[in-house]
Amino acid sequence: MSKAFTKEDDGHVDALPERAIPPHRNLVTVEGMAAIEAEITRLQAVHEDAINEGDATAGAISARDLGYWTSRRVTAELVEAAGSEQVRFGSYVTIRRPDGSEKVYRLVGSDEADPKHGTLSYVAPLAQAMMGKTVGDIFVVTSREATIVHID
């Protein structure tokens, strides 16, 4: 086989694109800050293992991800939960749709958000539509109406 069709691994990895940093404020809950710290600790171990094993690809990926999470820790603005009658960052909000279905969301930072598990980024359109509302208020997002039925 011609040399043109073989690949030699010289340990070089092309530069990886940086992970995009969201443009808005990096608000985090207490749990979000703990998750950032845990991810940094995990990535430090992954990076060290990659270096020790000579795995340039894993080393490059872990270095990139470690840079992202270190940056997120530096810019994190911890917002501690405090009771409020209005929907705000950190609130647990129960909404009811016109069909009677209810859903509970917690408004959290971008890195914490996982709508399938009930956490919603505070910059998401649904979260923005709820911000400042109180129990009984009706709001509309993407032409769908809902009512705030509980705030914790």
Side-chain angles (χ1 to χ4, degrees):
M1 181 181 286
S2 166
K3 186 82 169 149
F5 295 106
T6 64
K7 180 180 178 193
E8 289 186 27
D9 186 3
D10 63 1
H12 173 74
V13 176
D14 290 335
L16 298 173
E18 292 297 317
R19 289 184 60 177
I21 302 288
H24 45 272
R25 291 173 58 198
N26 185 16
L27 303 182
V28 297
T29 63
V30 171
E31 297 85 357
M33 184 63 89
I36 290 171
E37 293 293 344
E39 187 64 1
I40 289 171
T41 299
R42 185 189 74 79
L43 285 167
Q44 287 170 332
V46 167
H47 187 69
E48 186 176 318
D49 289 346
I51 298 303
N52 290 339
E53 294 170 7
D55 187 340
T57 301
I61 292 169
S62 59
R64 180 208 45 203
D65 291 349
L66 190 54
Y68 174 85
W69 288 107
T70 300
S71 171
R72 297 303 278 166
R73 178 176 56 191
V74 168
T75 62
E77 297 177 42
L78 182 63
V79 179
E80 301 214 22
S84 175
E85 292 182 9
Q86 291 186 324
V87 176
R88 61 190 206 122
F89 183 87
S91 295
Y92 287 89
V93 184
T94 305
I95 64 171
R96 181 179 300 129
R97 303 257 184 225
D99 66 4
S101 65
E102 290 188 358
K103 179 76 177 171
V104 178
Y105 290 104
R106 183 171 189 209
L107 306 188
V108 297
S110 297
D111 294 318
E112 301 174 73
D114 185 355
K116 290 181 182 177
H117 292 100
T119 54
L120 190 64
S121 171
Y122 79 100
V123 297
L126 177 57
Q128 289 294 300
M130 291 190 285
M131 287 288 195
K133 303 286 190 271
T134 60
V135 171
D137 285 349
I138 296 172
F139 65 94
V140 177
V141 65
T142 62
S143 71
R144 293 184 64 196
E145 187 178 279
T147 304
I148 306 287
V149 293
H150 187 76
I151 302 169
D152 237 352

